[in-house]
Amino acid sequence: MKSTLIYLILLFSALQVSEQANREIFFADVTIYVEGGKYYLTGSKGESEGPQGFAFLESKDLKTWAVPAKATDSLGMILTKGDRTFGTKGFWAPQIFKDKRTYYLTYTADEQTVLAESKSLSGPYRQKEVRPIDGSEKNIDSYIFKDTNGTYYLYCVRFNKGNYLYVAEFDLKIGKIKPETLKRCFEQTEPWEATPNYKSAPIMEGPTVIKLKNKYYLFYSANHFQNIDYAIGYAVADSPYGPWVKNKNNPIIHRSIVSENGSGHGDLFEGVDKQLYYVYHVHHSSDKVGPRRTRIVPVVKQWDDQAGVYTFSVKGNEVIVPVMAEK
């Protein structure tokens, strides 16, 4: 009788774990926008999963998510291929921000950075003129940062025998960079940025930039996304252009900290509870990269009085596994 009871308990636990895994969210290159006491999540989804573009989910607690009630379709699409938008494939790495009464969505498609807009947070995001931000050469992983003086900067990845982070002043009104301001942020310099588990050219990508006490903090991912050591670190500067000083304790998100392979490419955000979080993706399993799973981890921000900067780390034992609400 006792052994039967133990078996039933183990079976029930296994079924619960299996059900949660089936309800997990499989967005990569993720971002979360916070407004009105709710969280809104979007990211890269598999091209075989319905229409190409970006879908939207909402949550009140970061744990349970659903397609917004106001969505016009079952996926919550906020930007769709061919609907007055640039791109035919490779819809990756979205970011949402607001300027005055307009919402903007910057993203990658056809290995070009793109800017679309909407009067509603839930879209649809479209372009007045269908084109990339800068078609002079390939560039991906856009992040648009607004400085405290109102100046915008575009951070993105450009290719040159590898993936390197660049920054340029950005004119939001016309949706273009100022080419004369374009500058590479830094080189691949640290051992954690190039581990031998997956051989590749230098790769640094997925930027997020914040400003605190006149210092600029650039969060980025390094290694190839298929590398189990895909991870996140940050660098600090006195200017949006650098020079950047990399944190000596990088990476701050890595499989050794969050216990899952391929932990990278996400976004930093402040929760409704005023807690900082980082949303990112991980490999599907220990032996399979995709479809990648979405994760959220609390971030610890501490002031280093001697260095005159904030330091960042994460609570690796408090990782949130977001799931879809039960139907």
mmCIF file of all heavy atoms in Angstrom, residues 51-73:
data_model
loop_
_atom_site.group_PDB
_atom_site.id
_atom_site.type_symbol
_atom_site.label_atom_id
_atom_site.label_comp_id
_atom_site.label_asym_id
_atom_site.label_seq_id
_atom_site.Cartn_x
_atom_site.Cartn_y
_atom_site.Cartn_z
ATOM 1 N N PRO A 51 1.751 33.213 -38.461
ATOM 2 C CA PRO A 51 2.243 34.313 -39.294
ATOM 3 C C PRO A 51 3.564 34.868 -38.768
ATOM 4 O O PRO A 51 3.797 34.889 -37.558
ATOM 5 C CB PRO A 51 1.122 35.354 -39.206
ATOM 6 C CG PRO A 51 0.395 35.026 -37.942
ATOM 7 C CD PRO A 51 0.469 33.538 -37.797
ATOM 8 N N GLN A 52 4.420 35.327 -39.690
ATOM 9 C CA GLN A 52 5.694 35.896 -39.275
ATOM 10 C C GLN A 52 5.499 37.308 -38.754
ATOM 11 O O GLN A 52 4.725 38.086 -39.294
ATOM 12 C CB GLN A 52 6.672 35.883 -40.455
ATOM 13 C CG GLN A 52 7.094 34.486 -40.866
ATOM 14 C CD GLN A 52 8.217 34.517 -41.878
ATOM 15 O OE1 GLN A 52 9.243 35.150 -41.670
ATOM 16 N NE2 GLN A 52 8.020 33.830 -42.999
ATOM 17 N N GLY A 53 6.231 37.623 -37.699
ATOM 18 C CA GLY A 53 6.100 38.910 -37.040
ATOM 19 C C GLY A 53 6.281 38.729 -35.547
ATOM 20 O O GLY A 53 7.068 37.881 -35.104
ATOM 21 N N PHE A 54 5.530 39.502 -34.761
ATOM 22 C CA PHE A 54 5.678 39.447 -33.315
ATOM 23 C C PHE A 54 4.321 39.321 -32.622
ATOM 24 O O PHE A 54 3.375 40.040 -32.947
ATOM 25 C CB PHE A 54 6.403 40.696 -32.817
ATOM 26 C CG PHE A 54 7.783 40.823 -33.389
ATOM 27 C CD1 PHE A 54 8.027 41.689 -34.441
ATOM 28 C CD2 PHE A 54 8.825 40.040 -32.914
ATOM 29 C CE1 PHE A 54 9.288 41.785 -34.998
ATOM 30 C CE2 PHE A 54 10.088 40.127 -33.467
ATOM 31 C CZ PHE A 54 10.326 41.002 -34.504
ATOM 32 N N ALA A 55 4.254 38.392 -31.675
ATOM 33 C CA ALA A 55 3.054 38.174 -30.869
ATOM 34 C C ALA A 55 3.253 38.808 -29.495
ATOM 35 O O ALA A 55 4.382 39.038 -29.051
ATOM 36 C CB ALA A 55 2.765 36.685 -30.752
ATOM 37 N N PHE A 56 2.149 39.056 -28.810
ATOM 38 C CA PHE A 56 2.134 39.803 -27.559
ATOM 39 C C PHE A 56 1.455 38.967 -26.478
ATOM 40 O O PHE A 56 0.403 38.364 -26.713
ATOM 41 C CB PHE A 56 1.318 41.073 -27.785
ATOM 42 C CG PHE A 56 1.826 42.303 -27.081
ATOM 43 C CD1 PHE A 56 3.168 42.495 -26.809
ATOM 44 C CD2 PHE A 56 0.936 43.302 -26.717
ATOM 45 C CE1 PHE A 56 3.614 43.657 -26.199
ATOM 46 C CE2 PHE A 56 1.366 44.463 -26.105
ATOM 47 C CZ PHE A 56 2.709 44.640 -25.850
ATOM 48 N N LEU A 57 2.029 38.944 -25.283
ATOM 49 C CA LEU A 57 1.405 38.301 -24.126
ATOM 50 C C LEU A 57 1.390 39.296 -22.972
ATOM 51 O O LEU A 57 2.236 40.182 -22.888
ATOM 52 C CB LEU A 57 2.187 37.049 -23.713
ATOM 53 C CG LEU A 57 2.301 35.932 -24.757
ATOM 54 C CD1 LEU A 57 3.218 34.833 -24.235
ATOM 55 C CD2 LEU A 57 0.933 35.371 -25.114
ATOM 56 N N GLU A 58 0.419 39.137 -22.066
ATOM 57 C CA GLU A 58 0.354 40.025 -20.908
ATOM 58 C C GLU A 58 0.258 39.225 -19.616
ATOM 59 O O GLU A 58 -0.199 38.078 -19.606
ATOM 60 C CB GLU A 58 -0.822 40.999 -21.017
ATOM 61 C CG GLU A 58 -2.184 40.384 -20.859
ATOM 62 C CD GLU A 58 -3.302 41.431 -20.848
ATOM 63 O OE1 GLU A 58 -3.074 42.594 -21.217
ATOM 64 O OE2 GLU A 58 -4.436 41.053 -20.456
ATOM 65 N N SER A 59 0.697 39.865 -18.510
ATOM 66 C CA SER A 59 0.689 39.213 -17.209
ATOM 67 C C SER A 59 0.612 40.259 -16.114
ATOM 68 O O SER A 59 1.026 41.408 -16.308
ATOM 69 C CB SER A 59 1.972 38.381 -17.034
ATOM 70 O OG SER A 59 2.080 37.878 -15.720
ATOM 71 N N LYS A 60 0.109 39.857 -14.961
ATOM 72 C CA LYS A 60 0.095 40.738 -13.801
ATOM 73 C C LYS A 60 1.177 40.364 -12.801
ATOM 74 O O LYS A 60 1.480 41.147 -11.898
ATOM 75 C CB LYS A 60 -1.272 40.691 -13.111
ATOM 76 C CG LYS A 60 -2.391 41.333 -13.913
ATOM 77 C CD LYS A 60 -3.705 41.295 -13.140
ATOM 78 C CE LYS A 60 -4.825 41.974 -13.920
ATOM 79 N NZ LYS A 60 -6.120 41.928 -13.171
ATOM 80 N N ASP A 61 1.761 39.153 -12.949
ATOM 81 C CA ASP A 61 2.689 38.668 -11.928
ATOM 82 C C ASP A 61 3.997 38.094 -12.473
ATOM 83 O O ASP A 61 4.803 37.549 -11.699
ATOM 84 C CB ASP A 61 2.006 37.617 -11.065
ATOM 85 C CG ASP A 61 1.570 36.380 -11.853
ATOM 86 O OD1 ASP A 61 1.877 36.298 -13.059
ATOM 87 O OD2 ASP A 61 0.914 35.505 -11.258
ATOM 88 N N LEU A 62 4.226 38.170 -13.772
ATOM 89 C CA LEU A 62 5.408 37.639 -14.452
ATOM 90 C C LEU A 62 5.412 36.112 -14.567
ATOM 91 O O LEU A 62 6.235 35.553 -15.295
ATOM 92 C CB LEU A 62 6.715 38.075 -13.757
ATOM 93 C CG LEU A 62 7.054 39.566 -13.799
ATOM 94 C CD1 LEU A 62 8.340 39.839 -13.005
ATOM 95 C CD2 LEU A 62 7.231 40.043 -15.245
ATOM 96 N N LYS A 63 4.509 35.460 -13.870
ATOM 97 C CA LYS A 63 4.509 33.994 -13.862
ATOM 98 C C LYS A 63 3.509 33.404 -14.849
ATOM 99 O O LYS A 63 3.821 32.482 -15.588
ATOM 100 C CB LYS A 63 4.215 33.484 -12.445
ATOM 101 C CG LYS A 63 5.259 33.912 -11.424
ATOM 102 C CD LYS A 63 4.872 33.484 -10.014
ATOM 103 C CE LYS A 63 5.901 33.967 -8.994
ATOM 104 N NZ LYS A 63 5.522 33.605 -7.606
ATOM 105 N N THR A 64 2.300 33.933 -14.860
ATOM 106 C CA THR A 64 1.236 33.406 -15.715
ATOM 107 C C THR A 64 0.887 34.429 -16.779
ATOM 108 O O THR A 64 0.621 35.593 -16.472
ATOM 109 C CB THR A 64 -0.013 33.079 -14.880
ATOM 110 O OG1 THR A 64 0.353 32.177 -13.832
ATOM 111 C CG2 THR A 64 -1.078 32.423 -15.747
ATOM 112 N N TRP A 65 0.879 33.987 -18.040
ATOM 113 C CA TRP A 65 0.710 34.880 -19.178
ATOM 114 C C TRP A 65 -0.453 34.443 -20.053
ATOM 115 O O TRP A 65 -0.832 33.282 -20.071
ATOM 116 C CB TRP A 65 1.996 34.913 -20.008
ATOM 117 C CG TRP A 65 3.153 35.463 -19.252
ATOM 118 C CD1 TRP A 65 3.897 34.807 -18.302
ATOM 119 C CD2 TRP A 65 3.689 36.783 -19.337
ATOM 120 N NE1 TRP A 65 4.872 35.646 -17.798
ATOM 121 C CE2 TRP A 65 4.770 36.860 -18.424
ATOM 122 C CE3 TRP A 65 3.379 37.902 -20.111
ATOM 123 C CZ2 TRP A 65 5.525 38.024 -18.258
ATOM 124 C CZ3 TRP A 65 4.129 39.055 -19.950
ATOM 125 C CH2 TRP A 65 5.188 39.104 -19.026
ATOM 126 N N ALA A 66 -1.002 35.408 -20.789
ATOM 127 C CA ALA A 66 -2.110 35.115 -21.697
ATOM 128 C C ALA A 66 -2.100 36.114 -22.841
ATOM 129 O O ALA A 66 -1.526 37.210 -22.727
ATOM 130 C CB ALA A 66 -3.446 35.190 -20.949
ATOM 131 N N VAL A 67 -2.728 35.744 -23.938
ATOM 132 C CA VAL A 67 -2.929 36.684 -25.031
ATOM 133 C C VAL A 67 -3.877 37.772 -24.528
ATOM 134 O O VAL A 67 -4.896 37.464 -23.906
ATOM 135 C CB VAL A 67 -3.530 35.972 -26.258
ATOM 136 C CG1 VAL A 67 -3.898 36.978 -27.345
ATOM 137 C CG2 VAL A 67 -2.548 34.937 -26.799
ATOM 138 N N PRO A 68 -3.564 39.051 -24.720
ATOM 139 C CA PRO A 68 -4.426 40.131 -24.219
ATOM 140 C C PRO A 68 -5.865 39.988 -24.707
ATOM 141 O O PRO A 68 -6.118 39.580 -25.853
ATOM 142 C CB PRO A 68 -3.783 41.396 -24.785
ATOM 143 C CG PRO A 68 -2.353 41.030 -24.984
ATOM 144 C CD PRO A 68 -2.364 39.593 -25.394
ATOM 145 N N ALA A 69 -6.810 40.328 -23.838
ATOM 146 C CA ALA A 69 -8.230 40.202 -24.178
ATOM 147 C C ALA A 69 -8.600 41.055 -25.385
ATOM 148 O O ALA A 69 -9.508 40.708 -26.150
ATOM 149 C CB ALA A 69 -9.084 40.593 -22.971
ATOM 150 N N LYS A 70 -7.885 42.171 -25.597
ATOM 151 C CA LYS A 70 -8.189 43.066 -26.718
ATOM 152 C C LYS A 70 -7.548 42.630 -28.029
ATOM 153 O O LYS A 70 -7.718 43.292 -29.052
ATOM 154 C CB LYS A 70 -7.736 44.493 -26.373
ATOM 155 C CG LYS A 70 -8.504 45.120 -25.208
ATOM 156 C CD LYS A 70 -8.021 46.537 -24.956
ATOM 157 C CE LYS A 70 -8.774 47.192 -23.794
ATOM 158 N NZ LYS A 70 -8.287 48.570 -23.531
ATOM 159 N N ALA A 71 -6.796 41.533 -28.003
ATOM 160 C CA ALA A 71 -6.112 41.079 -29.215
ATOM 161 C C ALA A 71 -7.123 40.737 -30.301
ATOM 162 O O ALA A 71 -8.222 40.258 -30.025
ATOM 163 C CB ALA A 71 -5.250 39.860 -28.905
ATOM 164 N N THR A 72 -6.724 40.983 -31.543
ATOM 165 C CA THR A 72 -7.626 40.736 -32.672
ATOM 166 C C THR A 72 -7.466 39.337 -33.251
ATOM 167 O O THR A 72 -8.192 38.970 -34.174
ATOM 168 C CB THR A 72 -7.374 41.767 -33.796
ATOM 169 O OG1 THR A 72 -5.991 41.703 -34.185
ATOM 170 C CG2 THR A 72 -7.685 43.173 -33.304
ATOM 171 N N ASP A 73 -6.506 38.559 -32.732
ATOM 172 C CA ASP A 73 -6.353 37.173 -33.178
ATOM 173 C C ASP A 73 -5.881 36.324 -32.008
ATOM 174 O O ASP A 73 -5.529 36.838 -30.946
ATOM 175 C CB ASP A 73 -5.365 37.071 -34.348
ATOM 176 C CG ASP A 73 -3.982 37.564 -33.978
ATOM 177 O OD1 ASP A 73 -3.271 36.841 -33.254
ATOM 178 O OD2 ASP A 73 -3.611 38.681 -34.383
#
